Amino acid sequence: MKKHIAVLPGDGIGEEVMTEALKVLACIAGRFEHQFVTTHGYVGGAAYERFGTHLPEETLSLCRSADAILFGSVGGLVSEQHLDKWRNCEANSILTLRKTFNFGANFRPVKIYPDLKEMSPLKAEIIDRGVDLLIIRELLGDSYFGEHKTFYQDERRIATDVIMYTEDQVAAVAHVAFKAAGGRRQKVTSVDKANVLDSSKLWRAVVHEVGRNYPEIKLEDMLVDNCAMQLIKDPSQFDVIVTTNMFGDILSDAAAVLPGSLGLLSSASINAEGFGLYEPPGGSAQDIAGTGKANPIAQILSTAQMLRFSFALEQEARAIEQSVETTLKAGYRTHDIYNPKQSAATKLVDCQQMSQQILAHLEAVQIAEPVA
Ligand code: NAD
């Protein structure tokens, strides 16, 4: 298979973790006989310095001509957000890409690795039940795109934000969720606030209509307030969670703390044609940029998601995930997941050494023979 990939490392740790992810991609290309043509583009502060804009036309046209976008992260130090280079950097880069390519669904897998359970804020007995879930967040509707208004009435300020969903928007993301559950543990939890909101009543009705096309998938509804509690109390009950833009924004960030570090998570934003942007959900981590402390796993797992969701290369994606798990099992830890109390059983490594270990396991992964 030959694919063109737009590579946008961005700012902070973006460049260093992307370098490691591209080594993993090159290894996959070699082992599975694919050709991945990678072309770098500027985004975020790095683009601002060169072009005076966070998302130059050159970068957009590179993305338009690619089969997928591999994105690092953008943004400056929190204390420097007032500078022109960083002001609105994230919105100008990521939200513009989302709108330009109509990314309608965001995938956030959340998994607690048994070998890292001491990093999770959850109790061991909860983790031991197994935590491996996928949150799918609708990205093009809800109050983010409805009318926002602040006005005066009787000399008092009033603000309104309109939540709006069309049945087509809900149906599109529901299909994505049922298909994703088909390749997992066959269960979808649809999260809404149907006891209060009309938009949620429509959401629930449409998800059930779509669900009739997938009789093998178990569908359950859950109110968002309950889901927030269940994610902490009993996350093992979930396989695929599908929810609205705002509920997904909040729930996916809550779930992101369960594995114990942002450096372990991946994220994918995908449109109806399967074109996607793959990135770690964390930011540019300027506090550790250039120190070698960045964990490359988030960027490497995002690359695995690109292979799975945009190129349908399931075996290749699994090979990467398996190599990450084996590396963690062998005790290799970057700074963010290192626990000095376990120093006898683990080894502190930097960003590059972590990916070297992952690559060594990837070189040894067994490749299944194609079924005749
Ligand atoms: P952050 O996500 O960059 O970092 C939060 C904490 O997590 C830091 O302590 C950081 O060191 C750690 N961390 C994050 N990724 C890590 C990794 N791969 N390995 C090890 N540790 C990791 O959040 P922040 O510091 O609040 O934001 C920094 C900048 O990133 C800001 O400008 C913010 O606007 C931007 N941001 C960008 C994105 C994006 O590009 N998608 C997302 C969130 C924040």
Side-chain angles (χ1 to χ4, degrees), residues 13 17 71-78 81 86 90 94 261-264 279-288 293-296 298 334 336:
I13 63 167
V17 293
F71 191 96
S73 47
V74 293
L77 280 171
V78 177
Q81 298 296 326
W86 302 122
E90 228 180 301
I94 298 168
S261 169
L262 279 172
L264 295 168
E279 58 171 337
S284 55
Q286 293 280 1
D287 54 334
I288 56 166
K293 287 182 177 170
N295 188 341
T334 39
D336 55 316

Side-chain angles (χ1 to χ4, degrees), residues 130-193:
V131 178
D132 180 2
L133 58 96
L134 171 64
I135 299 182
I136 299 182
R137 166 188 169 196
E138 197 287 329
L139 277 186
L140 294 172
D142 211 335
S143 54
Y144 294 64
F145 294 89
E147 188 192 18
H148 305 288
K149 219 163 65 177
T150 304
F151 56 99
Y152 279 85
Q153 192 172 308
D154 301 328
E155 295 179 10
R156 307 300 296 161
R157 280 171 299 170
I158 299 179
T160 60
D161 301 283
V162 174
I163 298 176
M164 198 179 97
Y165 265 112
T166 67
E167 61 175 299
D168 291 346
Q169 282 172 326
V170 182
V173 76
H175 278 291
V176 168
F178 285 108
K179 284 183 186 146
R184 294 175 50 98
R185 300 192 309 279
Q186 320 267 317
K187 181 179 170 191
V188 168
T189 305
S190 170
V191 174
D192 59 38
K193 189 73 184 163

